[in-house]
Amino acid sequence: MTVNPAPPLLRLADHAVFDPTDEAGVILDTRKDVYLALNATATLMLGAALRFGTVEEVVAHLGELVEAPSGTLEAGVTTLAHQLAQHGLLAPAEEGRP
């Protein structure tokens, strides 16, 4: 029996392209031909949220990369998710997460 891994915490909308190049990533909104620049920490947060299935996993991974309390990291991931949702960059099922 094969166990399917949990889906990632966040999933970008089909019209959003994430490029984490050079530590400061960007998200291109192909509908509007605009991009959002992310700082290095937000780039790490988004990369982790696109890879891991729970807030706890994302925070644990970020804790290995960034020296910050887990509560601060969790709040940052939540804030980032809300900002992406406000810009219409998350897949519809993801808008209420994390």
Side-chain angles (χ1 to χ4, degrees):
M1 179 174 154
T2 304
V3 177
N4 292 331
L9 182 63
L10 297 178
R11 202 168 47 86
L12 293 176
D14 291 338
H15 58 269
V17 179
F18 174 52
D19 181 0
T21 307
D22 298 331
E23 292 184 15
V26 296
I27 301 174
L28 173 64
D29 183 339
T30 60
R31 290 179 314 179
K32 301 175 184 176
D33 286 332
V34 297
Y35 72 93
L36 278 87
L38 302 174
N39 65 28
T41 303
T43 300
L44 291 173
M45 287 180 173
L46 182 55
L50 294 172
R51 180 176 169 202
F52 297 100
T54 67
V55 172
E56 293 78 17
E57 290 173 321
V58 170
V59 169
H61 176 73
L62 292 171
E64 296 172 6
L65 305 173
V66 177
E67 196 169 312
S70 60
T72 300
L73 295 173
E74 184 174 341
V77 170
T78 300
T79 298
L80 177 62
H82 289 298
Q83 290 173 343
L84 294 175
Q86 287 178 333
H87 288 284
L89 296 171
L90 293 181
E94 305 301 309
E95 290 180 358
R97 293 183 76 188

